[in-house]
Each structure stands twice: as C-alpha cells, then as structure tokens.
Amino acid sequence: MMKITLAVKGLFKLKWEYRRTNMDRQSEEQRIGSFSLPENLNGFCIHMVGIKGTGMAALAELLVHGGASVTGSDVPDHFYTDSILSALGICPAEGFSAENIPSGTQLVIYSSAYSRTENPELLEADRRKIPVLLYNEALGMFSARPYSIGIAGVHGKTTVSGMTGTVFRALDLDASVLAGSAISSFGGKCTMIHGSKYFAAETCEYREHFLSFHPSKIVLTGIESDHQDYYPTYDAILAAFIRYIDRLPQFGELIYCADDPGAKEAARISFSARPDLVFTEYGENASGAFRVSFLGVRDGRQYFSLKGVPGEFSLQIPGRHNVRNAAAVCALAASLVTREKGSFSFSDAGKVREALASYTGSKRRSEIVGTADGVLVLDDYAHHPTAVDSTLAGFREFYPGRRLIVDFMSHTYSRTAALLPDFARAFRSADTVILHKIYPSAREQPGGPVDGKTLFDAVRQNHRNVLYFEEPMEARSRISGMLKPGDVFVTMGAGDNWKLGLAVLEDLQAREASGKQGSKK
C-alpha cells in the first residue's frame, strides 16, 4: 500500500487525507480488536440496531441464510424492509432500549445512523462486553471469506448490483449479491442468494466505509465530488477510491468506466503504483471487448452492442448511463465465467443478454409508480447533479414527444452548496421543474449558506418553467391540476418527496374514475 500512497501524495499532495485515513483505520482496528465473524454461523446470536435500513436488512438476509439467529430494533415507522424482515421471521423491537438485546447475544451490529456513545442498546452492549460492529465492518468481515467483488462509484452502484445478481443467477454461478435497494428480479429483496463461492456487494464510499471490504475485483462506475461534509475536495474523495483499489490482492481486477474522467484518473494513478493489477475498461471510450455502441431506442427498449461480445443487447430501463452499467456487468460476468471455465462462450453471452433484457430495475431507480388518466408516474433516487441530468436525459429519450415534469428535492446542504452551478444546469431535459426545501441529513446541522430558494433561483437562471413549494405536499393540487394525458411525472431525489408521487397518483386515479363514471351517464 505504501507505493500507491506515495504516488498519490506526489501527484495530489494529499498528505492530510492520508494521515486522517491511516489514523481512522488504526482506530477502527484497535476498536474491533481480535473479534472475527465465525466461519460457521449456525446458532450464532446477532442483534442488529437499525435493522430496517436497506443495507442492514440485506445483511440480515445473508446472516440468517448462513444459519445465524438474528434479532433487531428500529424506529416504529413502516419501511419496505419490514416485509423482508418478516419473511425472515424477524420482528424488530420498536424503539431502542437496553432490554431489547436478548441474553446470549454474541454480536451487535449497528447502522451508522446511530451513535455508539448515545444509543442505549449500544451502551448496554458495551456494558455486557458484547462485541460491537458497524454495518460496514460486519459486511467487511463477511466479504473476507468468499471471493468478493466490490461494486463502487458515486453513481450506479445499486443498478450494477441488481444487474449483477440477475446475470449471476442466469449463469448459474455459485454466488450471492447484496444491493442497496429492493430489486424486482430478486423477488423484491435486497439480496440474491445462489451460493457462497462468489460474493458481490454494493460498497459505499461515504466516510471510507468501503475500506472495510475485502475485494478480489472492483467494478468502478465513476468518481466525482460528493459527500462534501466528509470529502471537502475532489482530491479527497479520489484518494479514498484509490486506497480502495489498493486493497485488491496481487493480480486482482479493476473494471472501470472509460467514459468517466474520475474513474479513468483513478485507474491511471493505480496502474502507476500497482502494475500487477488487471485493468479492464468498459464504455464508449473503452479500447477493448467492452466498448459500447448505442443503437437507439425503439419499442420501449434501448439497444446497444459490445465490440468483443456477439449479438445485440437490450434494456427495458431508460438512460445511456444504464447501458454503461450493463456493459460493466458484462465485463464482470465474462471475467468470472472465464475464471470458472477457462473461456466465455457464445452460450454464456446469450444468457447474459437474456438476463439483462429481463431486468426491470429496483426500488427508487427509474421505478414506475403507476399509470392513471394517461399519465406515467415515476420515482428515482438521483440526487447528484450528474445523476439528475443523465436520468432525465434518459427519460426524454425513452419517452419521446411526452411532456416531462420533474419534482426534485435536494439532499444535504453541503452537497447543494458545493454543486449549486451543476444543479442549476441539471434539469435541461425537463419541461417543468418543481423544487422544495432541502432535505436535511442527520450528519449535518440544519441551515447553511444555501436553502431551497437558493437552488430555485439558480435553476431559474437556466430554465424557463420552475416552481417552488417549501413542503412537497404543498405542490399536490398544482401538480395534479397541470398533468395531462401523455405526461410523464417524476419525483426525484434522496428526500421524502416520493410521497408526493403517491399522492398525485391517487388524484389521477380518482380523476380517471370520475371520468369513466361521467362517460356512463
């Protein structure tokens, strides 16, 4: 690791970032101590604090499948993960109390949303001297046993993870996959469990959580400035990704997007210090087998081809960024199948093609919420200006000739302030934009140099039709009234304005029913 650390220091003068990272890693190792997840989880008792979180619920699936006895606690609010936990036989305690930790508990895993020094269950675990792990630490320990693939990048991790599980199952690989959202082809769950030899997981860059993971391969979709509350500069987040790449073992593989400047830069720097690694490109600018050619949109699908893989591929989800995501999965599948069988055959390529064609997406990623009175209602998690721009461009291409109305709720003051000029230009594909207050995060103080109206003023400089409502639900009647048959209405962002989409759909359904009743009279 020293070689790559010195290379990055020389190029970017990131001494402070590396010093901080090294101190954080040493502190983490001291805190975890000698604890390790047992090879055999049968009967091993685990309690999970914040178990309804997407990642936590997915990890619970893997642990229960491995034989562990899992209990948990969380807030009383209902989440889509409640049904996942119920299917596992887990009924989370509502609220947090020391009494929630069963006697005989051998490990406590907690979400980073909760404080080790304030949550009563975590304090009780310390009092009882029960080992305690953060979610990412537990996931890292789990990943140390199989041959693991880390799916990383500022954008696209969940979609790549969902496609990966869908393709792995089609290829009958002895593998499991953990995604950051419910995947339709996983039966509405966050995991695809089809064996234990290979393990692919969505790995998060926030607070360098992915440095707990043990990858043998990494899929890197892209790097750009984000999480400004932790990474104040682009160089800081780039340094974290490079450290993650450096966790690859000798002859490990980096599969990266040749269309993304940040991913290309990380690959170039990594190659200078780790020429032992295998570097595989994908995208329009890739030079090898996974060079993408876009073949257009027709009949509700977008088509593309890959230079070194026979046949035409199709996707039923919109956006050229998703074609790139699919190319990444093709590269990963070809690599693992070749590792298993010595080659990637025409038959294997056909299975990948069929799996990708069948992929229908995940929750909050170009999700079709419903259709009523001729209006299509979608929901998408895009919250970074690059993702907003590419996702809306994908909708524009996928639904030509239809009016596109987007309701966006920005997430975190720090991101909005740092990327304000990019947000101002991100809505060019929309016909109408509705904005709201900034959705806050528990990791930062409310307020700051920008608010929702600051964003509104910035977007209005670049777009002629922008509306502002402080609270999302305040826009309900206006939006429902403006929507006409043929329109596409999208709720977008990492806030809670997705609830507005459901409410608007209800209004449209009522209007449709009323129209049908009127026509009978």
Side-chain angles (χ1 to χ4, degrees):
M1 287 190 183
M2 284 302 296
K3 291 188 296 181
I4 202 162
T5 300
L6 291 172
V8 176
K9 281 183 178 179
L11 286 167
F12 293 100
K13 302 178 182 178
L14 297 179
K15 294 182 180 179
W16 179 81
E17 283 85 354
Y18 277 98
R19 189 184 308 118
R20 180 186 66 178
T21 299
N22 287 332
M23 289 190 298
D24 288 349
R25 299 298 295 169
Q26 290 168 6
S27 174
E28 175 187 308
E29 290 167 2
Q30 290 170 1
R31 185 169 60 75
I32 294 173
S34 59
F35 177 82
S36 60
L37 206 60
E39 287 285 335
N40 186 351
L41 290 173
N42 283 327
F44 191 73
C45 297
I46 301 172
H47 183 74
M48 303 182 72
V49 179
I51 194 170
K52 293 184 182 182
T54 298
M56 291 283 280
L59 181 58
E61 288 184 72
L62 294 171
L63 294 171
V64 169
H65 185 264
S69 174
V70 177
T71 60
S73 59
D74 213 315
V75 296
D77 306 58
H78 182 79
F79 296 93
Y80 74 87
T81 53
D82 279 291
S83 60
I84 295 173
L85 295 171
S86 178
L88 296 172
I90 300 172
C91 181
E94 293 188 353
F96 303 101
S97 168
E99 289 73 34
N100 289 340
I101 303 180
S103 61
T105 296
Q106 296 164 280
L107 172 66
V108 172
I109 300 172
Y110 72 104
S111 161
S112 59
Y114 301 99
S115 169
R116 181 74 184 268
T117 59
E118 296 177 8
N119 183 276
E121 295 180 21
L122 300 178
L123 292 170
E124 176 66 10
D126 284 339
R127 189 188 70 78
R128 293 196 217 169
K129 294 183 169 45
I130 302 171
V132 177
L133 297 176
L134 267 166
Y135 161 78
N136 60 287
E137 295 165 350
L139 180 64
M141 286 187 181
F142 189 91
S143 72
R145 296 181 294 178
Y147 185 102
S148 292
I149 301 102
I151 297 169
V154 172
H155 314 296
K157 294 185 291 292
T158 298
T159 297
V160 171
S161 300
M163 289 179 174
T164 294
T166 306
V167 166
F168 279 8
R169 186 166 51 198
L171 291 168
D172 198 27
L173 285 174
D174 184 354
S176 293
V177 177
L178 182 151
S181 185
I183 308 296
S184 56
S185 56
F186 293 3
K189 299 187 295 182
C190 305
T191 60
M192 188 285 296
I193 301 174
H194 194 68
S196 58
K197 181 176 181 179
Y198 296 105
F199 175 54
E202 182 172 331
T203 57
C204 182
E205 69 277 3
Y206 183 62
R207 298 189 67 86
E208 298 165 329
H209 284 166
F210 53 16
L211 296 185
S212 298
F213 201 77
H214 296 269
S216 293
K217 296 183 189 294
I218 290 174
V219 176
L220 178 57
T221 63
I223 304 170
E224 58 183 310
S225 182
D226 199 9
H227 307 296
Q228 287 78 12
D229 57 317
Y230 188 78
Y231 300 112
T233 65
Y234 166 73
D235 285 351
I237 194 170
L238 175 63
F241 274 97
I242 292 171
R243 281 187 61 83
Y244 185 40
I245 295 168
D246 196 36
R247 289 183 65 78
L248 288 168
Q250 188 176 28
F251 309 126
E253 184 178 16
L254 175 68
I255 299 169
Y256 69 97
C257 183
D259 299 340
D260 183 83
K264 287 174 63 179
E265 188 170 16
R268 177 177 58 81
I269 295 168
S270 298
F271 178 75
S272 69
R274 291 289 307 275
D276 60 293
L277 298 178
V278 176
F279 293 85
T280 302
E281 300 178 319
Y282 69 89
E284 282 186 279
N285 295 306
S287 58
F290 305 101
R291 181 173 183 173
V292 171
S293 295
F294 293 101
L295 304 178
V297 176
R298 60 183 186 273
D299 304 322
R301 289 181 175 271
Q302 54 179 338
Y303 293 83
F304 66 99
S305 64
L306 300 173
K307 180 181 178 182
V309 183
E312 186 177 81
F313 290 81
S314 72
L315 290 177
Q316 54 182 305
I317 56 174
R320 295 192 173 204
H321 58 292
N322 282 323
V323 169
R324 295 185 182 92
N325 291 336
V329 175
C330 289
L332 174 60
S335 179
L336 286 182
V337 170
T338 300
R339 185 177 188 271
E340 282 285 293
K341 304 193 306 186
S343 64
F344 184 65
S345 69
F346 184 86
S347 174
D348 295 323
K351 292 176 182 177
V352 172
R353 187 181 303 106
E354 290 178 9
L356 290 173
S358 72
Y359 183 74
T360 54
S362 62
K363 193 167 186 64
R364 299 224 63 207
R365 274 71 175 178
S366 300
E367 180 186 7
I368 296 177
V369 179
T371 301
D373 203 28
V375 178
L376 175 64
V377 179
L378 302 171
D379 181 52
D380 196 274
Y381 189 66
H383 54 278
H384 187 285
T386 300
V388 171
D389 189 17
S390 61
T391 301
L392 291 177
F395 290 152
R396 172 62 68 201
E397 188 174 22
F398 215 64
Y399 303 108
R402 302 179 70 170
R403 195 167 61 141
L404 179 59
I405 298 167
V406 58
D407 183 279
F408 178 74
M409 192 173 200
S410 193
H411 179 238
T412 77
Y413 299 98
S414 55
R415 178 185 289 116
T416 308
L419 304 177
L420 188 62
D422 298 318
F423 274 118
R425 298 185 293 267
F427 299 92
R428 55 188 173 177
S429 295
D431 293 292
T432 300
V433 182
I434 300 102
L435 299 172
H436 309 287
K437 68 180 183 181
I438 295 172
Y439 190 77
S441 168
R443 65 196 191 213
E444 64 180 7
Q445 293 297 318
V450 301
D451 58 16
K453 290 185 178 178
T454 309
L455 178 59
F456 167 70
D457 289 337
V459 174
R460 193 166 52 171
Q461 297 300 314
N462 295 272
H463 202 290
R464 64 182 181 180
N465 199 3
V466 188
L467 304 174
Y468 183 83
F469 297 86
E470 183 74 7
E471 299 290 339
M473 284 302 175
E474 292 175 358
R476 178 176 180 173
S477 61
R478 181 67 178 275
I479 293 171
S480 297
M482 75 167 66
L483 291 173
K484 302 174 182 177
D487 288 349
V488 176
F489 174 58
V490 185
T491 51
M492 182 172 280
D496 61 359
N497 59 323
W498 56 269
K499 298 175 184 177
L500 174 62
L502 295 177
V504 168
L505 182 62
E506 287 181 4
D507 293 344
L508 294 171
Q509 290 169 337
R511 192 170 77 187
E512 184 177 53
S514 176
K516 288 179 179 178
Q517 287 296 323
S519 65
K520 291 179 180 179
K521 294 180 179 180

Short mmCIF file of all heavy atoms in Angstrom, two decimals, residues 39-70:
data_model
loop_
_atom_site.label_atom_id
_atom_site.label_comp_id
_atom_site.label_asym_id
_atom_site.label_seq_id
_atom_site.Cartn_x
_atom_site.Cartn_y
_atom_site.Cartn_z
N GLU A 39 -16.64 -18.78 11.10
CA GLU A 39 -16.86 -19.45 9.82
C GLU A 39 -18.24 -20.10 9.77
O GLU A 39 -18.93 -20.04 8.77
CB GLU A 39 -15.78 -20.52 9.60
CG GLU A 39 -14.40 -19.98 9.26
CD GLU A 39 -14.31 -19.47 7.84
OE1 GLU A 39 -15.10 -19.96 6.99
OE2 GLU A 39 -13.48 -18.60 7.57
N ASN A 40 -18.63 -20.72 10.89
CA ASN A 40 -19.93 -21.38 10.97
C ASN A 40 -20.87 -20.51 11.79
O ASN A 40 -20.68 -20.31 12.99
CB ASN A 40 -19.77 -22.76 11.62
CG ASN A 40 -21.05 -23.56 11.60
OD1 ASN A 40 -22.12 -23.05 11.26
ND2 ASN A 40 -20.97 -24.83 11.97
N LEU A 41 -21.90 -19.97 11.14
CA LEU A 41 -22.83 -19.07 11.82
C LEU A 41 -24.02 -19.79 12.44
O LEU A 41 -24.87 -19.14 13.06
CB LEU A 41 -23.35 -18.03 10.83
CG LEU A 41 -22.34 -16.97 10.35
CD1 LEU A 41 -22.95 -16.12 9.25
CD2 LEU A 41 -21.89 -16.09 11.51
N ASN A 42 -24.10 -21.10 12.31
CA ASN A 42 -25.25 -21.83 12.85
C ASN A 42 -25.42 -21.57 14.34
O ASN A 42 -24.52 -21.85 15.15
CB ASN A 42 -25.09 -23.34 12.61
CG ASN A 42 -25.39 -23.71 11.17
OD1 ASN A 42 -26.23 -23.10 10.54
ND2 ASN A 42 -24.69 -24.72 10.65
N GLY A 43 -26.57 -21.00 14.70
CA GLY A 43 -26.87 -20.74 16.09
C GLY A 43 -26.18 -19.53 16.68
O GLY A 43 -26.39 -19.21 17.86
N PHE A 44 -25.39 -18.81 15.89
CA PHE A 44 -24.68 -17.63 16.38
C PHE A 44 -25.70 -16.49 16.54
O PHE A 44 -26.43 -16.16 15.61
CB PHE A 44 -23.58 -17.23 15.41
CG PHE A 44 -22.62 -16.20 15.94
CD1 PHE A 44 -21.69 -16.54 16.91
CD2 PHE A 44 -22.65 -14.89 15.48
CE1 PHE A 44 -20.80 -15.58 17.40
CE2 PHE A 44 -21.77 -13.94 15.96
CZ PHE A 44 -20.84 -14.29 16.93
N CYS A 45 -25.76 -15.88 17.73
CA CYS A 45 -26.81 -14.91 18.05
C CYS A 45 -26.34 -13.48 17.79
O CYS A 45 -25.36 -13.02 18.40
CB CYS A 45 -27.23 -15.06 19.51
SG CYS A 45 -27.95 -16.67 19.89
N ILE A 46 -27.05 -12.78 16.89
CA ILE A 46 -26.68 -11.42 16.49
C ILE A 46 -27.87 -10.50 16.68
O ILE A 46 -29.00 -10.82 16.30
CB ILE A 46 -26.24 -11.40 15.01
CG1 ILE A 46 -25.05 -12.34 14.79
CG2 ILE A 46 -25.88 -9.98 14.57
CD1 ILE A 46 -24.67 -12.53 13.33
N HIS A 47 -27.62 -9.35 17.27
CA HIS A 47 -28.64 -8.31 17.41
C HIS A 47 -28.24 -7.13 16.54
O HIS A 47 -27.08 -6.70 16.55
CB HIS A 47 -28.77 -7.87 18.87
CG HIS A 47 -29.85 -6.85 19.09
ND1 HIS A 47 -31.19 -7.17 19.07
CD2 HIS A 47 -29.79 -5.50 19.30
CE1 HIS A 47 -31.91 -6.09 19.29
NE2 HIS A 47 -31.09 -5.05 19.42
N MET A 48 -29.21 -6.57 15.77
CA MET A 48 -28.91 -5.51 14.82
C MET A 48 -29.69 -4.24 15.17
O MET A 48 -30.92 -4.25 15.20
CB MET A 48 -29.22 -5.98 13.40
CG MET A 48 -28.46 -7.24 13.01
SD MET A 48 -28.76 -7.81 11.31
CE MET A 48 -27.87 -6.58 10.37
N VAL A 49 -28.97 -3.16 15.44
CA VAL A 49 -29.56 -1.88 15.82
C VAL A 49 -29.74 -1.03 14.57
O VAL A 49 -28.77 -0.69 13.89
CB VAL A 49 -28.66 -1.15 16.84
CG1 VAL A 49 -29.26 0.20 17.22
CG2 VAL A 49 -28.43 -2.02 18.07
N GLY A 50 -31.00 -0.70 14.25
CA GLY A 50 -31.30 -0.02 12.99
C GLY A 50 -31.49 -1.02 11.87
O GLY A 50 -31.10 -0.78 10.73
N ILE A 51 -32.14 -2.12 12.18
CA ILE A 51 -32.22 -3.26 11.26
C ILE A 51 -33.07 -2.99 10.03
O ILE A 51 -32.97 -3.70 9.03
CB ILE A 51 -32.74 -4.51 12.02
CG1 ILE A 51 -32.49 -5.79 11.20
CG2 ILE A 51 -34.22 -4.34 12.37
CD1 ILE A 51 -32.77 -7.06 11.98
N LYS A 52 -33.92 -1.95 10.06
CA LYS A 52 -34.78 -1.68 8.90
C LYS A 52 -34.06 -0.95 7.77
O LYS A 52 -34.62 -0.82 6.68
CB LYS A 52 -35.99 -0.86 9.33
CG LYS A 52 -36.96 -1.60 10.25
CD LYS A 52 -38.18 -0.74 10.55
CE LYS A 52 -39.14 -1.41 11.50
NZ LYS A 52 -40.35 -0.58 11.75
N GLY A 53 -32.86 -0.48 8.01
CA GLY A 53 -32.10 0.14 6.93
C GLY A 53 -31.87 -0.85 5.80
O GLY A 53 -31.75 -2.06 6.04
N THR A 54 -31.79 -0.36 4.59
CA THR A 54 -31.68 -1.25 3.43
C THR A 54 -30.49 -2.18 3.55
O THR A 54 -30.61 -3.40 3.38
CB THR A 54 -31.57 -0.42 2.14
OG1 THR A 54 -32.75 0.36 1.99
CG2 THR A 54 -31.42 -1.33 0.94
N GLY A 55 -29.32 -1.63 3.84
CA GLY A 55 -28.12 -2.45 3.95
C GLY A 55 -28.21 -3.42 5.12
O GLY A 55 -27.80 -4.58 5.00
N MET A 56 -28.74 -2.93 6.24
CA MET A 56 -28.85 -3.79 7.42
C MET A 56 -29.80 -4.96 7.17
O MET A 56 -29.51 -6.10 7.54
CB MET A 56 -29.33 -2.95 8.60
CG MET A 56 -28.32 -1.93 9.10
SD MET A 56 -27.00 -2.65 10.10
CE MET A 56 -27.87 -2.81 11.68
N ALA A 57 -30.94 -4.68 6.54
CA ALA A 57 -31.89 -5.75 6.25
C ALA A 57 -31.28 -6.77 5.28
O ALA A 57 -31.50 -7.98 5.42
CB ALA A 57 -33.18 -5.17 5.67
N ALA A 58 -30.53 -6.28 4.30
CA ALA A 58 -29.88 -7.17 3.35
C ALA A 58 -28.84 -8.04 4.05
O ALA A 58 -28.74 -9.25 3.80
CB ALA A 58 -29.23 -6.36 2.24
N LEU A 59 -28.06 -7.44 4.95
CA LEU A 59 -27.07 -8.21 5.70
C LEU A 59 -27.76 -9.24 6.58
O LEU A 59 -27.28 -10.37 6.73
CB LEU A 59 -26.20 -7.27 6.54
CG LEU A 59 -25.09 -7.92 7.37
CD1 LEU A 59 -24.14 -8.71 6.47
CD2 LEU A 59 -24.33 -6.86 8.17
N ALA A 60 -28.91 -8.85 7.16
CA ALA A 60 -29.67 -9.81 7.96
C ALA A 60 -30.08 -11.02 7.12
O ALA A 60 -30.02 -12.17 7.59
CB ALA A 60 -30.92 -9.14 8.54
N GLU A 61 -30.47 -10.79 5.87
CA GLU A 61 -30.81 -11.90 4.97
C GLU A 61 -29.64 -12.86 4.83
O GLU A 61 -29.80 -14.09 4.91
CB GLU A 61 -31.20 -11.37 3.60
CG GLU A 61 -32.54 -10.66 3.52
CD GLU A 61 -32.86 -10.25 2.10
OE1 GLU A 61 -33.16 -11.15 1.29
OE2 GLU A 61 -32.79 -9.05 1.79
N LEU A 62 -28.45 -12.31 4.60
CA LEU A 62 -27.26 -13.14 4.42
C LEU A 62 -26.92 -13.90 5.69
O LEU A 62 -26.56 -15.09 5.65
CB LEU A 62 -26.07 -12.28 4.00
CG LEU A 62 -26.18 -11.61 2.63
CD1 LEU A 62 -25.03 -10.62 2.44
CD2 LEU A 62 -26.17 -12.64 1.51
N LEU A 63 -27.02 -13.24 6.83
CA LEU A 63 -26.67 -13.87 8.11
C LEU A 63 -27.65 -14.99 8.46
O LEU A 63 -27.24 -16.07 8.90
CB LEU A 63 -26.64 -12.81 9.21
CG LEU A 63 -25.55 -11.75 9.08
CD1 LEU A 63 -25.76 -10.64 10.10
CD2 LEU A 63 -24.16 -12.35 9.22
N VAL A 64 -28.95 -14.73 8.25
CA VAL A 64 -29.94 -15.76 8.53
C VAL A 64 -29.75 -16.95 7.59
O VAL A 64 -29.83 -18.11 8.01
CB VAL A 64 -31.37 -15.18 8.40
CG1 VAL A 64 -32.41 -16.30 8.41
CG2 VAL A 64 -31.64 -14.19 9.52
N HIS A 65 -29.46 -16.66 6.33
CA HIS A 65 -29.21 -17.74 5.37
C HIS A 65 -28.01 -18.57 5.79
O HIS A 65 -27.96 -19.79 5.55
CB HIS A 65 -28.98 -17.16 3.97
CG HIS A 65 -28.83 -18.21 2.91
ND1 HIS A 65 -27.60 -18.66 2.48
CD2 HIS A 65 -29.75 -18.92 2.20
CE1 HIS A 65 -27.76 -19.58 1.56
NE2 HIS A 65 -29.06 -19.75 1.37
N GLY A 66 -27.04 -17.92 6.45
CA GLY A 66 -25.86 -18.64 6.92
C GLY A 66 -26.08 -19.40 8.22
O GLY A 66 -25.16 -20.06 8.70
N GLY A 67 -27.28 -19.27 8.80
CA GLY A 67 -27.61 -20.03 10.00
C GLY A 67 -27.66 -19.23 11.27
O GLY A 67 -27.97 -19.78 12.35
N ALA A 68 -27.37 -17.92 11.22
CA ALA A 68 -27.37 -17.11 12.42
C ALA A 68 -28.78 -16.87 12.94
O ALA A 68 -29.76 -16.87 12.19
CB ALA A 68 -26.68 -15.77 12.15
N SER A 69 -28.87 -16.66 14.26
CA SER A 69 -30.12 -16.26 14.89
C SER A 69 -30.08 -14.75 15.05
O SER A 69 -29.22 -14.22 15.76
CB SER A 69 -30.25 -16.94 16.26
OG SER A 69 -31.38 -16.46 16.95
N VAL A 70 -31.00 -14.03 14.38
CA VAL A 70 -30.92 -12.57 14.30
C VAL A 70 -32.14 -11.92 14.94
O VAL A 70 -33.28 -12.30 14.67
CB VAL A 70 -30.79 -12.11 12.83
CG1 VAL A 70 -30.79 -10.58 12.74
CG2 VAL A 70 -29.52 -12.66 12.20
#
